[in-house]
Amino acid sequence: MKLKFFTVVLTVGLMSQSAAFGQDFVQSGTAPTLPQREGKEIYNAICSGCHMPDGVGAVGAAAYPPLAKSDFVGSKEATAQWVIKGYKAMPPLGDVMDDEQIAAVVNYVRTNLGNAYDDEELTAAEVADIRTW
Amino acid sequence: MVDHISGMTRRGVLTMIGLAAGASAMYTAMAGMGLAGTSNYKGPIKLEGDPKGTSVLILGAGLAGLTAALELHNAGYKVQVLEYREKAGGRCWTLRGGETYTELGGFKQEVKFTEGNYLNAGPWRIPSDHYAVLDYCRRFGVKLEPFIQQNYNAYLHNSQAFGGKPQRFKEIQADYRGQISELLAKAVDQKKLDGPLTDDDAALLVESLKRYGVLDENLAYVKSDATSIYRGWAKEPGGGVDAKGEPSDIISLSDILQGRLWQDLITGESIDHQAGIFQPVGGMDMIAQGFEREVKDLITYNAKVIKIEGSETGVSATYVDSNGGTAEKTVSADYCICTIPFSVLSQIEHNFSGEMTEAIDSVPYASSIKVGLEFKRRFWEEDEHIYGGISYTDTPITLISYPSNDYLSKGPGVLLGAYSWGAASYQFNAIPAEERIEIALKYGEMIHKQYRDEYSNGVTVAWHRVPWTLGCYGEWRDQEAHYDNACKMDQRTLMAGEHISYLPAWQEGAILSALNAIERLHKIVTAA
Ligand SMILES: Cc1cc2nc3c(=O)[nH]c(=O)nc-3n(C[C@H](O)[C@H](O)[C@H](O)COP(=O)(O)OP(=O)(O)OC[C@H]3O[C@@H](n4cnc5c(N)ncnc54)[C@H](O)[C@@H]3O)c2cc1C
């Protein structure tokens, strides 16, 4: 009887697990960087926590500025620097992404969310350089 | 503070610890680095002397603001508090059934917990060396009960080891200790160890390791009644016929090492987590309510401060209604104690000095996530004999904490189903609330198969989405450069709060910083 009960639970468990959910998750503590590699996925794995899905921003006692239709992201260097070092309430995020990931997310933000900056893409090598500023 | 680990910033070291030891250990590690420690609370503050009708404006009604309000009011000051929220307490905050919580981005959660159940969204533990918090609990009659941190019957779980099967803490603890004792005892016994030991001490060390590691006559840690007393039995002893206990198999040192289950063995041993930790009966905000009972009339709620202007003679603050109001009101006082988190303050218009502005702008707040899950029955107690305490896992949820209250009760119970930091927490913050709960269920069921069947409802607080803190606690970019400046009186404003203390991310730090600020303020006022 007890055995049967557990079999049922297990099946239900596996079923809902395979109802695949959104994104891959980093293992707690053991992996320092996010598992995502593509700009959009990276955006939705970290930036959207504060700047919100679609970059619309949010307002409470203080605000997260919108990244949608943003003049700021016109500068890829400034955007990369903000991501690496943070600024005021934006924490430094350079530790949870490698150079390629940072380049990918910066390029994504500059060409999506209502932004269309069509100058040269930011490269991982440039990100490595900006880290030293 | 002196950086005593050469060639590395403290932050760098903390990150390393975070990587090596699991994000939860990061919090713990702070204790060893002077970032957390025993409180210097000296007993109830005595503000003697006449404040001569001096008025003080207090910004923020978290524990720092409430402490300042209560003590200054008692000392005869005219006090007014401006608070963004509809209630006092700030991060000292408990969610119960029937309440709603709307996070930044507009996602609104209705808490559906059964009556009596709750989630402490922020603080949940009070170490017994946090003398100030305990003293206010005593003064307000806040009832405390033990918080179980260490439970030898809870689990250690590595999804990549032991076939993903969680191991009981007591088994790993006893086997790890036993086998390293065996190694050391044999090495010493066979004189293989160069060391400063005299023969006498060597003999005593072997004797002590025999006791400490539960070793046999041959200095071996083996399957036996003796070791089963510590690691648990294969078959539990009982009464009457056929009831003799059967000793259990030992987990090899190699498996423990490879499985990295040594990771969280000492998490519960830091001074912040040693036994003698408490939680308020009914929820952490019982402390906030204790304060609020005394100072409620002094607080203007739903007041979003948007501008602070100091001068040589006073301070004024302008606020609007928090719920989207635009009508501005300005209040002023002779002095100001500002406890608004620096994350928020960095966006408020002010005329503080350049030094103070730099300090305010250099404190982003850490990421953290809590998920509370209510289950139809307390299966962890009924099926697995886990009463309170914490299971640790390498999955993104970091841990599962079992309620330290209402043991054996028949109804639903609430687990803390995720409490993470760092990259995993950023990810939790970035996804919709209902997905956070799904993730917590997905990883939690690796440890408890009953999860899906027994799940009832849940609520989650992602701290970067909390509208009035933008994060969990202040992390100074360069504390050495800015902290002292942040403590100085700027014209007539003093800062206070968790971030203005060397016990950051603790309620004790918030209270101590407020007591220190008002003590300094009172000296200035009474000397004038
Ligand atoms: C996840 C988590 C776990 C924790 N665990 C523990 C624990 O186990 N034990 C422990 O002791 N501590 C713990 N802490 C730390 C503890 O909660 C804090 O240190 C303490 O509560 C901070 O108090 P405070 O008064 O400094 O700040 P807050 O409580 O943040 O008070 C600041 C107040 O200012 C208000 N405010 C903000 N902006 C404005 C504005 N523009 N106008 C007006 N008012 C404004 C806010 O609404 C808030 O009420 C934890 C914190 C978190 C987030």
Side-chain angles (χ1 to χ4, degrees), chain A residues 23 34-48 67 97 99-113 121:
Chain A
Q23 50 184 268
L34 301 170
Q36 289 74 18
R37 304 303 310 175
E38 301 299 324
K40 181 179 182 178
E41 279 69 48
I42 297 170
Y43 182 88
N44 288 322
I46 184 157
C47 314
S48 65
L67 297 182
M97 288 176 277
D99 297 346
E100 277 177 21
Q101 288 172 306
I102 292 173
V105 74
V106 169
N107 290 328
Y108 170 78
V109 167
R110 301 181 73 245
T111 52
N112 289 277
L113 313 174
E121 291 208 326

PDB file of all heavy atoms in Angstrom, chain A residues 23 34-48 67 97 99-113 121:
ATOM      1  N   GLN A  23      14.035  28.613 -17.874  1.00  0.00           N
ATOM      2  CA  GLN A  23      15.463  28.663 -18.103  1.00  0.00           C
ATOM      3  C   GLN A  23      16.240  27.682 -17.249  1.00  0.00           C
ATOM      4  O   GLN A  23      15.790  27.232 -16.215  1.00  0.00           O
ATOM      5  CB  GLN A  23      15.965  30.076 -17.845  1.00  0.00           C
ATOM      6  CG  GLN A  23      15.524  30.661 -16.517  1.00  0.00           C
ATOM      7  CD  GLN A  23      15.971  32.102 -16.363  1.00  0.00           C
ATOM      8  OE1 GLN A  23      17.040  32.366 -15.833  1.00  0.00           O
ATOM      9  NE2 GLN A  23      15.163  33.047 -16.828  1.00  0.00           N
ATOM     10  N   LEU A  34      26.343  32.629 -14.913  1.00  0.00           N
ATOM     11  CA  LEU A  34      25.051  32.173 -15.415  1.00  0.00           C
ATOM     12  C   LEU A  34      25.250  31.146 -16.531  1.00  0.00           C
ATOM     13  O   LEU A  34      26.211  31.230 -17.290  1.00  0.00           O
ATOM     14  CB  LEU A  34      24.272  33.373 -15.975  1.00  0.00           C
ATOM     15  CG  LEU A  34      23.987  34.511 -14.996  1.00  0.00           C
ATOM     16  CD1 LEU A  34      23.445  35.721 -15.734  1.00  0.00           C
ATOM     17  CD2 LEU A  34      22.993  34.042 -13.940  1.00  0.00           C
ATOM     18  N   PRO A  35      24.321  30.194 -16.659  1.00  0.00           N
ATOM     19  CA  PRO A  35      24.465  29.193 -17.717  1.00  0.00           C
ATOM     20  C   PRO A  35      24.086  29.713 -19.115  1.00  0.00           C
ATOM     21  O   PRO A  35      24.495  29.132 -20.109  1.00  0.00           O
ATOM     22  CB  PRO A  35      23.506  28.073 -17.285  1.00  0.00           C
ATOM     23  CG  PRO A  35      22.573  28.675 -16.304  1.00  0.00           C
ATOM     24  CD  PRO A  35      23.236  29.893 -15.733  1.00  0.00           C
ATOM     25  N   GLN A  36      23.334  30.799 -19.192  1.00  0.00           N
ATOM     26  CA  GLN A  36      22.869  31.289 -20.481  1.00  0.00           C
ATOM     27  C   GLN A  36      24.016  31.851 -21.332  1.00  0.00           C
ATOM     28  O   GLN A  36      24.945  32.441 -20.797  1.00  0.00           O
ATOM     29  CB  GLN A  36      21.809  32.388 -20.282  1.00  0.00           C
ATOM     30  CG  GLN A  36      20.479  31.893 -19.769  1.00  0.00           C
ATOM     31  CD  GLN A  36      20.490  31.505 -18.298  1.00  0.00           C
ATOM     32  OE1 GLN A  36      21.374  31.888 -17.551  1.00  0.00           O
ATOM     33  NE2 GLN A  36      19.504  30.719 -17.882  1.00  0.00           N
ATOM     34  N   ARG A  37      23.934  31.701 -22.646  1.00  0.00           N
ATOM     35  CA  ARG A  37      24.962  32.224 -23.552  1.00  0.00           C
ATOM     36  C   ARG A  37      24.439  33.299 -24.495  1.00  0.00           C
ATOM     37  O   ARG A  37      25.195  34.124 -24.983  1.00  0.00           O
ATOM     38  CB  ARG A  37      25.581  31.100 -24.409  1.00  0.00           C
ATOM     39  CG  ARG A  37      26.197  29.927 -23.656  1.00  0.00           C
ATOM     40  CD  ARG A  37      27.282  30.284 -22.665  1.00  0.00           C
ATOM     41  NE  ARG A  37      28.345  31.135 -23.160  1.00  0.00           N
ATOM     42  CZ  ARG A  37      29.312  31.615 -22.387  1.00  0.00           C
ATOM     43  NH1 ARG A  37      29.338  31.332 -21.088  1.00  0.00           N
ATOM     44  NH2 ARG A  37      30.237  32.384 -22.900  1.00  0.00           N
ATOM     45  N   GLU A  38      23.153  33.283 -24.821  1.00  0.00           N
ATOM     46  CA  GLU A  38      22.593  34.224 -25.798  1.00  0.00           C
ATOM     47  C   GLU A  38      22.114  35.496 -25.100  1.00  0.00           C
ATOM     48  O   GLU A  38      21.593  35.445 -23.984  1.00  0.00           O
ATOM     49  CB  GLU A  38      21.405  33.579 -26.526  1.00  0.00           C
ATOM     50  CG  GLU A  38      21.739  32.295 -27.262  1.00  0.00           C
ATOM     51  CD  GLU A  38      22.777  32.516 -28.355  1.00  0.00           C
ATOM     52  OE1 GLU A  38      22.741  33.587 -29.001  1.00  0.00           O
ATOM     53  OE2 GLU A  38      23.632  31.625 -28.546  1.00  0.00           O
ATOM     54  N   GLY A  39      22.223  36.624 -25.799  1.00  0.00           N
ATOM     55  CA  GLY A  39      21.877  37.910 -25.223  1.00  0.00           C
ATOM     56  C   GLY A  39      20.497  37.964 -24.605  1.00  0.00           C
ATOM     57  O   GLY A  39      20.315  38.399 -23.462  1.00  0.00           O
ATOM     58  N   LYS A  40      19.511  37.504 -25.341  1.00  0.00           N
ATOM     59  CA  LYS A  40      18.138  37.582 -24.854  1.00  0.00           C
ATOM     60  C   LYS A  40      17.947  36.730 -23.588  1.00  0.00           C
ATOM     61  O   LYS A  40      17.321  37.152 -22.615  1.00  0.00           O
ATOM     62  CB  LYS A  40      17.187  37.098 -25.950  1.00  0.00           C
ATOM     63  CG  LYS A  40      15.736  37.164 -25.556  1.00  0.00           C
ATOM     64  CD  LYS A  40      14.835  36.695 -26.675  1.00  0.00           C
ATOM     65  CE  LYS A  40      13.387  36.837 -26.242  1.00  0.00           C
ATOM     66  NZ  LYS A  40      12.466  36.439 -27.298  1.00  0.00           N
ATOM     67  N   GLU A  41      18.529  35.529 -23.629  1.00  0.00           N
ATOM     68  CA  GLU A  41      18.400  34.636 -22.472  1.00  0.00           C
ATOM     69  C   GLU A  41      19.102  35.234 -21.249  1.00  0.00           C
ATOM     70  O   GLU A  41      18.610  35.129 -20.134  1.00  0.00           O
ATOM     71  CB  GLU A  41      18.972  33.248 -22.787  1.00  0.00           C
ATOM     72  CG  GLU A  41      18.036  32.327 -23.563  1.00  0.00           C
ATOM     73  CD  GLU A  41      17.809  32.772 -25.000  1.00  0.00           C
ATOM     74  OE1 GLU A  41      18.816  33.076 -25.673  1.00  0.00           O
ATOM     75  OE2 GLU A  41      16.639  32.851 -25.437  1.00  0.00           O
ATOM     76  N   ILE A  42      20.253  35.826 -21.502  1.00  0.00           N
ATOM     77  CA  ILE A  42      20.980  36.446 -20.378  1.00  0.00           C
ATOM     78  C   ILE A  42      20.164  37.613 -19.813  1.00  0.00           C
ATOM     79  O   ILE A  42      20.012  37.762 -18.604  1.00  0.00           O
ATOM     80  CB  ILE A  42      22.378  36.929 -20.821  1.00  0.00           C
ATOM     81  CG1 ILE A  42      23.216  35.737 -21.274  1.00  0.00           C
ATOM     82  CG2 ILE A  42      23.075  37.677 -19.685  1.00  0.00           C
ATOM     83  CD1 ILE A  42      24.518  36.125 -21.965  1.00  0.00           C
ATOM     84  N   TYR A  43      19.599  38.408 -20.705  1.00  0.00           N
ATOM     85  CA  TYR A  43      18.763  39.522 -20.244  1.00  0.00           C
ATOM     86  C   TYR A  43      17.670  39.008 -19.310  1.00  0.00           C
ATOM     87  O   TYR A  43      17.444  39.549 -18.217  1.00  0.00           O
ATOM     88  CB  TYR A  43      18.140  40.280 -21.431  1.00  0.00           C
ATOM     89  CG  TYR A  43      17.313  41.448 -20.929  1.00  0.00           C
ATOM     90  CD1 TYR A  43      17.904  42.691 -20.704  1.00  0.00           C
ATOM     91  CD2 TYR A  43      15.966  41.279 -20.581  1.00  0.00           C
ATOM     92  CE1 TYR A  43      17.176  43.742 -20.166  1.00  0.00           C
ATOM     93  CE2 TYR A  43      15.234  42.320 -20.037  1.00  0.00           C
ATOM     94  CZ  TYR A  43      15.838  43.556 -19.835  1.00  0.00           C
ATOM     95  OH  TYR A  43      15.121  44.583 -19.276  1.00  0.00           O
ATOM     96  N   ASN A  44      17.010  37.937 -19.744  1.00  0.00           N
ATOM     97  CA  ASN A  44      15.883  37.418 -18.967  1.00  0.00           C
ATOM     98  C   ASN A  44      16.305  36.618 -17.736  1.00  0.00           C
ATOM     99  O   ASN A  44      15.470  36.219 -16.930  1.00  0.00           O
ATOM    100  CB  ASN A  44      14.976  36.569 -19.854  1.00  0.00           C
ATOM    101  CG  ASN A  44      14.201  37.438 -20.827  1.00  0.00           C
ATOM    102  OD1 ASN A  44      13.759  38.535 -20.478  1.00  0.00           O
ATOM    103  ND2 ASN A  44      14.060  36.971 -22.059  1.00  0.00           N
ATOM    104  N   ALA A  45      17.612  36.374 -17.621  1.00  0.00           N
ATOM    105  CA  ALA A  45      18.110  35.656 -16.447  1.00  0.00           C
ATOM    106  C   ALA A  45      18.693  36.595 -15.398  1.00  0.00           C
ATOM    107  O   ALA A  45      18.972  36.176 -14.279  1.00  0.00           O
ATOM    108  CB  ALA A  45      19.160  34.625 -16.857  1.00  0.00           C
ATOM    109  N   ILE A  46      18.894  37.857 -15.750  1.00  0.00           N
ATOM    110  CA  ILE A  46      19.469  38.754 -14.753  1.00  0.00           C
ATOM    111  C   ILE A  46      18.968  40.189 -14.857  1.00  0.00           C
ATOM    112  O   ILE A  46      18.455  40.728 -13.878  1.00  0.00           O
ATOM    113  CB  ILE A  46      21.026  38.656 -14.741  1.00  0.00           C
ATOM    114  CG1 ILE A  46      21.606  39.533 -13.626  1.00  0.00           C
ATOM    115  CG2 ILE A  46      21.642  39.027 -16.091  1.00  0.00           C
ATOM    116  CD1 ILE A  46      22.961  39.127 -13.158  1.00  0.00           C
ATOM    117  N   CYS A  47      19.066  40.803 -16.019  1.00  0.00           N
ATOM    118  CA  CYS A  47      18.680  42.221 -16.126  1.00  0.00           C
ATOM    119  C   CYS A  47      17.200  42.408 -15.793  1.00  0.00           C
ATOM    120  O   CYS A  47      16.806  43.393 -15.159  1.00  0.00           O
ATOM    121  CB  CYS A  47      18.953  42.767 -17.523  1.00  0.00           C
ATOM    122  SG  CYS A  47      20.560  42.340 -18.208  1.00  0.00           S
ATOM    123  N   SER A  48      16.374  41.463 -16.229  1.00  0.00           N
ATOM    124  CA  SER A  48      14.931  41.623 -16.051  1.00  0.00           C
ATOM    125  C   SER A  48      14.530  41.619 -14.578  1.00  0.00           C
ATOM    126  O   SER A  48      13.433  42.047 -14.230  1.00  0.00           O
ATOM    127  CB  SER A  48      14.166  40.538 -16.814  1.00  0.00           C
ATOM    128  OG  SER A  48      14.452  39.270 -16.279  1.00  0.00           O
ATOM    129  N   LEU A  67      15.271  50.337 -19.782  1.00  0.00           N
ATOM    130  CA  LEU A  67      16.304  50.166 -20.799  1.00  0.00           C
ATOM    131  C   LEU A  67      15.665  50.183 -22.185  1.00  0.00           C
ATOM    132  O   LEU A  67      16.348  50.175 -23.200  1.00  0.00           O
ATOM    133  CB  LEU A  67      17.079  48.871 -20.582  1.00  0.00           C
ATOM    134  CG  LEU A  67      17.862  48.768 -19.266  1.00  0.00           C
ATOM    135  CD1 LEU A  67      18.634  47.461 -19.200  1.00  0.00           C
ATOM    136  CD2 LEU A  67      18.800  49.956 -19.082  1.00  0.00           C
ATOM    137  N   MET A  97      29.038  36.892 -14.965  1.00  0.00           N
ATOM    138  CA  MET A  97      29.075  36.681 -16.419  1.00  0.00           C
ATOM    139  C   MET A  97      30.515  36.762 -16.901  1.00  0.00           C
ATOM    140  O   MET A  97      31.301  37.562 -16.385  1.00  0.00           O
ATOM    141  CB  MET A  97      28.256  37.772 -17.130  1.00  0.00           C
ATOM    142  CG  MET A  97      26.762  37.626 -16.964  1.00  0.00           C
ATOM    143  SD  MET A  97      25.877  39.010 -17.720  1.00  0.00           S
ATOM    144  CE  MET A  97      25.990  40.226 -16.427  1.00  0.00           C
ATOM    145  N   ASP A  99      33.243  37.431 -20.247  1.00  0.00           N
ATOM    146  CA  ASP A  99      33.323  38.523 -21.223  1.00  0.00           C
ATOM    147  C   ASP A  99      32.330  38.336 -22.376  1.00  0.00           C
ATOM    148  O   ASP A  99      31.676  39.285 -22.819  1.00  0.00           O
ATOM    149  CB  ASP A  99      34.748  38.636 -21.783  1.00  0.00           C
ATOM    150  CG  ASP A  99      35.752  38.997 -20.695  1.00  0.00           C
ATOM    151  OD1 ASP A  99      35.314  39.401 -19.602  1.00  0.00           O
ATOM    152  OD2 ASP A  99      36.965  38.863 -20.941  1.00  0.00           O
ATOM    153  N   GLU A 100      32.244  37.107 -22.859  1.00  0.00           N
ATOM    154  CA  GLU A 100      31.330  36.841 -23.980  1.00  0.00           C
ATOM    155  C   GLU A 100      29.881  37.078 -23.590  1.00  0.00           C
ATOM    156  O   GLU A 100      29.095  37.623 -24.371  1.00  0.00           O
ATOM    157  CB  GLU A 100      31.477  35.386 -24.440  1.00  0.00           C
ATOM    158  CG  GLU A 100      32.628  35.179 -25.389  1.00  0.00           C
ATOM    159  CD  GLU A 100      32.788  33.714 -25.775  1.00  0.00           C
ATOM    160  OE1 GLU A 100      31.802  32.956 -25.645  1.00  0.00           O
ATOM    161  OE2 GLU A 100      33.900  33.348 -26.181  1.00  0.00           O
ATOM    162  N   GLN A 101      29.539  36.668 -22.393  1.00  0.00           N
ATOM    163  CA  GLN A 101      28.162  36.869 -21.933  1.00  0.00           C
ATOM    164  C   GLN A 101      27.843  38.359 -21.811  1.00  0.00           C
ATOM    165  O   GLN A 101      26.758  38.800 -22.180  1.00  0.00           O
ATOM    166  CB  GLN A 101      27.938  36.167 -20.582  1.00  0.00           C
ATOM    167  CG  GLN A 101      27.886  34.643 -20.695  1.00  0.00           C
ATOM    168  CD  GLN A 101      27.862  33.981 -19.330  1.00  0.00           C
ATOM    169  OE1 GLN A 101      28.727  34.235 -18.487  1.00  0.00           O
ATOM    170  NE2 GLN A 101      26.865  33.144 -19.092  1.00  0.00           N
ATOM    171  N   ILE A 102      28.779  39.107 -21.297  1.00  0.00           N
ATOM    172  CA  ILE A 102      28.553  40.548 -21.147  1.00  0.00           C
ATOM    173  C   ILE A 102      28.392  41.198 -22.520  1.00  0.00           C
ATOM    174  O   ILE A 102      27.465  41.987 -22.743  1.00  0.00           O
ATOM    175  CB  ILE A 102      29.697  41.201 -20.334  1.00  0.00           C
ATOM    176  CG1 ILE A 102      29.621  40.713 -18.888  1.00  0.00           C
ATOM    177  CG2 ILE A 102      29.605  42.730 -20.393  1.00  0.00           C
ATOM    178  CD1 ILE A 102      30.786  41.136 -18.019  1.00  0.00           C
ATOM    179  N   ALA A 103      29.267  40.820 -23.457  1.00  0.00           N
ATOM    180  CA  ALA A 103      29.150  41.366 -24.811  1.00  0.00           C
ATOM    181  C   ALA A 103      27.779  41.002 -25.391  1.00  0.00           C
ATOM    182  O   ALA A 103      27.084  41.847 -25.979  1.00  0.00           O
ATOM    183  CB  ALA A 103      30.277  40.826 -25.693  1.00  0.00           C
ATOM    184  N   ALA A 104      27.373  39.757 -25.211  1.00  0.00           N
ATOM    185  CA  ALA A 104      26.105  39.298 -25.794  1.00  0.00           C
ATOM    186  C   ALA A 104      24.918  40.080 -25.229  1.00  0.00           C
ATOM    187  O   ALA A 104      24.028  40.502 -25.974  1.00  0.00           O
ATOM    188  CB  ALA A 104      25.926  37.797 -25.538  1.00  0.00           C
ATOM    189  N   VAL A 105      24.917  40.297 -23.919  1.00  0.00           N
ATOM    190  CA  VAL A 105      23.749  40.961 -23.328  1.00  0.00           C
ATOM    191  C   VAL A 105      23.742  42.455 -23.671  1.00  0.00           C
ATOM    192  O   VAL A 105      22.687  43.039 -23.930  1.00  0.00           O
ATOM    193  CB  VAL A 105      23.634  40.698 -21.807  1.00  0.00           C
ATOM    194  CG1 VAL A 105      24.666  41.477 -21.001  1.00  0.00           C
ATOM    195  CG2 VAL A 105      22.228  41.019 -21.313  1.00  0.00           C
ATOM    196  N   VAL A 106      24.924  43.053 -23.728  1.00  0.00           N
ATOM    197  CA  VAL A 106      24.983  44.467 -24.106  1.00  0.00           C
ATOM    198  C   VAL A 106      24.507  44.630 -25.551  1.00  0.00           C
ATOM    199  O   VAL A 106      23.692  45.512 -25.855  1.00  0.00           O
ATOM    200  CB  VAL A 106      26.418  45.031 -23.914  1.00  0.00           C
ATOM    201  CG1 VAL A 106      26.550  46.408 -24.562  1.00  0.00           C
ATOM    202  CG2 VAL A 106      26.757  45.111 -22.428  1.00  0.00           C
ATOM    203  N   ASN A 107      24.987  43.757 -26.428  1.00  0.00           N
ATOM    204  CA  ASN A 107      24.548  43.844 -27.828  1.00  0.00           C
ATOM    205  C   ASN A 107      23.044  43.608 -27.949  1.00  0.00           C
ATOM    206  O   ASN A 107      22.366  44.247 -28.752  1.00  0.00           O
ATOM    207  CB  ASN A 107      25.320  42.835 -28.685  1.00  0.00           C
ATOM    208  CG  ASN A 107      26.780  43.249 -28.841  1.00  0.00           C
ATOM    209  OD1 ASN A 107      27.094  44.443 -28.868  1.00  0.00           O
ATOM    210  ND2 ASN A 107      27.671  42.269 -28.907  1.00  0.00           N
ATOM    211  N   TYR A 108      22.528  42.709 -27.141  1.00  0.00           N
ATOM    212  CA  TYR A 108      21.084  42.456 -27.176  1.00  0.00           C
ATOM    213  C   TYR A 108      20.295  43.710 -26.778  1.00  0.00           C
ATOM    214  O   TYR A 108      19.374  44.123 -27.478  1.00  0.00           O
ATOM    215  CB  TYR A 108      20.724  41.292 -26.242  1.00  0.00           C
ATOM    216  CG  TYR A 108      19.229  41.143 -26.065  1.00  0.00           C
ATOM    217  CD1 TYR A 108      18.448  40.544 -27.055  1.00  0.00           C
ATOM    218  CD2 TYR A 108      18.586  41.647 -24.927  1.00  0.00           C
ATOM    219  CE1 TYR A 108      17.075  40.443 -26.925  1.00  0.00           C
ATOM    220  CE2 TYR A 108      17.210  41.549 -24.787  1.00  0.00           C
ATOM    221  CZ  TYR A 108      16.461  40.945 -25.778  1.00  0.00           C
ATOM    222  OH  TYR A 108      15.098  40.850 -25.647  1.00  0.00           O
ATOM    223  N   VAL A 109      20.702  44.297 -25.669  1.00  0.00           N
ATOM    224  CA  VAL A 109      19.963  45.456 -25.166  1.00  0.00           C
ATOM    225  C   VAL A 109      19.997  46.604 -26.180  1.00  0.00           C
ATOM    226  O   VAL A 109      19.010  47.324 -26.359  1.00  0.00           O
ATOM    227  CB  VAL A 109      20.565  45.915 -23.803  1.00  0.00           C
ATOM    228  CG1 VAL A 109      20.047  47.282 -23.404  1.00  0.00           C
ATOM    229  CG2 VAL A 109      20.249  44.893 -22.719  1.00  0.00           C
ATOM    230  N   ARG A 110      21.121  46.750 -26.867  1.00  0.00           N
ATOM    231  CA  ARG A 110      21.271  47.873 -27.808  1.00  0.00           C
ATOM    232  C   ARG A 110      20.521  47.677 -29.113  1.00  0.00           C
ATOM    233  O   ARG A 110      20.336  48.620 -29.893  1.00  0.00           O
ATOM    234  CB  ARG A 110      22.759  48.119 -28.088  1.00  0.00           C
ATOM    235  CG  ARG A 110      23.549  48.439 -26.814  1.00  0.00           C
ATOM    236  CD  ARG A 110      25.007  48.700 -27.084  1.00  0.00           C
ATOM    237  NE  ARG A 110      25.205  49.987 -27.728  1.00  0.00           N
ATOM    238  CZ  ARG A 110      25.670  50.141 -28.953  1.00  0.00           C
ATOM    239  NH1 ARG A 110      25.977  49.093 -29.692  1.00  0.00           N
ATOM    240  NH2 ARG A 110      25.809  51.355 -29.453  1.00  0.00           N
ATOM    241  N   THR A 111      20.077  46.463 -29.377  1.00  0.00           N
ATOM    242  CA  THR A 111      19.398  46.209 -30.657  1.00  0.00           C
ATOM    243  C   THR A 111      18.000  45.643 -30.465  1.00  0.00           C
ATOM    244  O   THR A 111      17.370  45.183 -31.410  1.00  0.00           O
ATOM    245  CB  THR A 111      20.228  45.225 -31.513  1.00  0.00           C
ATOM    246  OG1 THR A 111      20.525  44.070 -30.717  1.00  0.00           O
ATOM    247  CG2 THR A 111      21.532  45.853 -31.973  1.00  0.00           C
ATOM    248  N   ASN A 112      17.540  45.650 -29.203  1.00  0.00           N
ATOM    249  CA  ASN A 112      16.187  45.165 -28.911  1.00  0.00           C
ATOM    250  C   ASN A 112      15.540  46.111 -27.913  1.00  0.00           C
ATOM    251  O   ASN A 112      16.062  47.188 -27.673  1.00  0.00           O
ATOM    252  CB  ASN A 112      16.250  43.744 -28.339  1.00  0.00           C
ATOM    253  CG  ASN A 112      16.638  42.727 -29.412  1.00  0.00           C
ATOM    254  OD1 ASN A 112      15.804  42.259 -30.166  1.00  0.00           O
ATOM    255  ND2 ASN A 112      17.933  42.427 -29.483  1.00  0.00           N
ATOM    256  N   LEU A 113      14.418  45.711 -27.338  1.00  0.00           N
ATOM    257  CA  LEU A 113      13.736  46.544 -26.341  1.00  0.00           C
ATOM    258  C   LEU A 113      13.465  47.942 -26.901  1.00  0.00           C
ATOM    259  O   LEU A 113      13.518  48.934 -26.179  1.00  0.00           O
ATOM    260  CB  LEU A 113      14.576  46.667 -25.048  1.00  0.00           C
ATOM    261  CG  LEU A 113      15.190  45.401 -24.443  1.00  0.00           C
ATOM    262  CD1 LEU A 113      16.097  45.759 -23.275  1.00  0.00           C
ATOM    263  CD2 LEU A 113      14.101  44.433 -23.988  1.00  0.00           C
ATOM    264  N   GLU A 121      29.207  45.696 -33.241  1.00  0.00           N
ATOM    265  CA  GLU A 121      28.891  45.009 -31.989  1.00  0.00           C
ATOM    266  C   GLU A 121      30.069  45.078 -31.015  1.00  0.00           C
ATOM    267  O   GLU A 121      31.224  45.139 -31.430  1.00  0.00           O
ATOM    268  CB  GLU A 121      28.569  43.542 -32.281  1.00  0.00           C
ATOM    269  CG  GLU A 121      27.270  43.347 -33.033  1.00  0.00           C
ATOM    270  CD  GLU A 121      26.649  41.997 -32.711  1.00  0.00           C
ATOM    271  OE1 GLU A 121      27.420  41.048 -32.491  1.00  0.00           O
ATOM    272  OE2 GLU A 121      25.412  41.923 -32.671  1.00  0.00           O
TER     273      GLU A 121
END
